[in-house]
Amino acid sequence: MEQHSINYNGTYCRASIDNFNSAEAKTLLKPIHAAYAQALAMANLEAVGNFYSNNGVLIHKGKTCAYGRDPIRKALKPFCLPSDTTISDEVYEATSDHIVYKATFKSIIKSNGAEIGGKFEQIFRKEGDQWLIIYDEFEANSVDTSTQFRSLFCM
């Protein structure tokens, strides 16, 4: 069984490739998601974009889409807010070179207490020694009544 070690911001994760299962996919993606969430919360758009393949696509369901790292960075700028986020209903599906990750999220924005929630689906592909997002689709629904907030984030 082939073993691979992946480094994301100093965090190493090992995953076997021949018998790749959902538990291994979760173990592999955990440090990647933690680093991604931190970069997003710190508004480090350069780092956020580096989690995507050069040919990656971001789809804000019913609103917009972006193709490539720079347009994805621009599309994610409104989401660069410190928040407390809870992820639930996680599903991992894996092959030797792709991981599909689906989940539900709920975020409370620290600055104003506004809440957003929704679902997302990401597909990661192994490119060289990195797992990069090639497809990222999400929908966001707000319980905040602010028109400005809803227009930025929600369908």
Side-chain angles (χ1 to χ4, degrees):
M1 184 179 333
E2 186 179 357
Q3 294 280 321
H4 290 272
S5 181
I6 314 299
N7 177 5
Y8 281 93
N9 293 337
T11 302
Y12 286 89
C13 180
R14 287 189 103 44
S16 61
I17 297 302
D18 293 342
N19 262 335
F20 211 46
N21 62 39
S22 62
E24 289 174 316
K26 183 175 183 176
T27 299
L28 179 72
L29 290 185
K30 185 176 180 178
I32 297 170
H33 282 129
Y36 178 90
Q38 181 179 14
L40 200 60
M42 296 177 68
N44 185 344
L45 292 171
E46 185 65 29
V48 169
N50 291 338
F51 288 93
Y52 290 84
S53 169
N54 286 327
N55 293 311
V57 62
L58 173 75
I59 301 166
H60 187 170
K61 195 172 177 181
K63 294 198 68 118
T64 64
C65 65
Y67 169 76
R69 286 183 172 167
D70 286 335
I72 288 171
R73 287 179 179 107
K74 184 178 176 183
L76 287 173
K77 188 174 182 176
F79 296 93
C80 290
L81 301 167
S83 63
D84 291 320
T85 301
T86 304
I87 305 292
S88 60
D89 304 323
E90 294 178 303
V91 175
Y92 294 86
E93 299 170 353
T95 67
S96 63
D97 60 355
H98 287 82
I99 300 173
V100 177
Y101 175 53
K102 302 174 190 177
T104 300
F105 72 94
K106 179 181 177 186
S107 296
I108 300 173
I109 308 304
K110 290 182 179 181
S111 63
N112 61 12
E115 294 182 25
I116 62 169
K119 296 180 180 185
F120 65 89
E121 178 176 353
Q122 295 177 322
I123 300 174
F124 289 77
R125 179 175 56 210
K126 181 120 169 88
E127 295 185 5
D129 65 347
Q130 291 187 309
W131 287 92
L132 298 174
I133 301 167
I134 60 170
Y135 178 87
D136 189 354
E137 179 184 82
F138 71 98
E139 59 183 326
N141 303 299
S142 175
V143 296
D144 186 287
T145 58
S146 161
T147 303
Q148 179 183 13
F149 187 82
R150 280 195 324 259
S151 67
L152 280 176
F153 298 107
C154 304
M155 296 172 42

